[in-house]
């Protein structure tokens, strides 16, 4: 399986908050059979975001989690119809959500972040 496919992309989506976005990310991954424990991954996404917000500026956010609830490293892309508040000081419209199995956390997570950084440049 590839890291991302057309079923893991949403364009012109509307959500009320980050929690709704995280729920949608889980729905997309679950529909593709990429999660072993949806609640665990959702919890890990929220915990990671609480430890340090993932907004990068320029309307980009990269929420991510290394989780026992993930079966396969995956990338979800969501383009919001309108920008939304991500933190008190940052807005987001382009969301790249990264899901990595806990056992692959080190290298795979960094590989995906590096690939995204190159593509965004």
């Amino acid at each position: 399986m590839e890291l991302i496919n057309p079923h893991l992309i949403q364009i012109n989506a509307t959500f009320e908050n980050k929690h709704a976005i995280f729920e949608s990310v889980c729905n997309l991954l679950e529909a593709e059979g990429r999660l072993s424990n949806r609640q665990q991954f959702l919890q890990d996404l929220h915990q990671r975001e609480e430890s340090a917000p993932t907004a990068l500026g320029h309307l980009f956010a990269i929420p991510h989690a290394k989780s026992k609830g993930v079966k396969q490293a995956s990338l979800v892309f969501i383009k919001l119809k309108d920008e939304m508040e991500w933190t008190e000081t940052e807005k987001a419209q382009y969301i790249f959500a990264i899901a990595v199995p806990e056992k692959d956390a080190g290298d795979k997570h960094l590989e995906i972040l590096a690939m995204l950084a190159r593509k965004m440049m």
Side-chain angles (χ1 to χ4, degrees), residues 6-116:
H7 301 287
L8 297 174
I9 298 171
Q10 283 185 316
I11 304 295
N12 293 325
T14 56
F15 297 100
E16 291 196 21
N17 53 42
K18 281 191 276 188
H19 178 73
I21 291 172
F22 292 173
E23 287 282 347
S24 183
V25 166
C26 288
N27 291 342
L28 294 169
L29 291 170
E30 192 171 47
E32 289 294 297
R34 293 171 182 243
L35 297 181
S36 58
N37 185 326
R38 181 186 199 288
Q39 280 309 114
Q40 179 68 56
F41 178 61
L42 183 60
Q43 179 182 334
D44 292 338
L45 264 180
H46 281 286
Q47 284 180 345
R48 171 59 187 88
E49 189 69 26
E50 288 170 15
S51 70
T54 55
L56 301 176
H58 305 285
L59 301 179
F60 284 91
I62 304 180
H64 54 280
K66 305 165 210 169
S67 177
K68 290 179 183 175
V70 176
K71 287 199 265 188
Q72 179 194 348
S74 302
L75 179 64
V76 172
F77 174 69
I78 297 173
K79 182 207 173 273
L80 300 175
K81 182 177 180 185
D82 299 303
E83 60 190 48
M84 66 172 280
E85 186 175 299
W86 197 263
T87 67
E88 291 179 10
T89 59
E90 294 285 346
K91 293 188 181 291
Q93 188 170 14
Y94 308 98
I95 292 100
F96 292 92
I98 302 171
V100 176
E102 193 172 70
K103 64 180 176 57
D104 298 336
D107 294 342
K108 192 63 174 175
H109 184 248
L110 295 175
E111 266 178 48
I112 295 168
L113 284 172
M115 179 269 304
L116 278 176

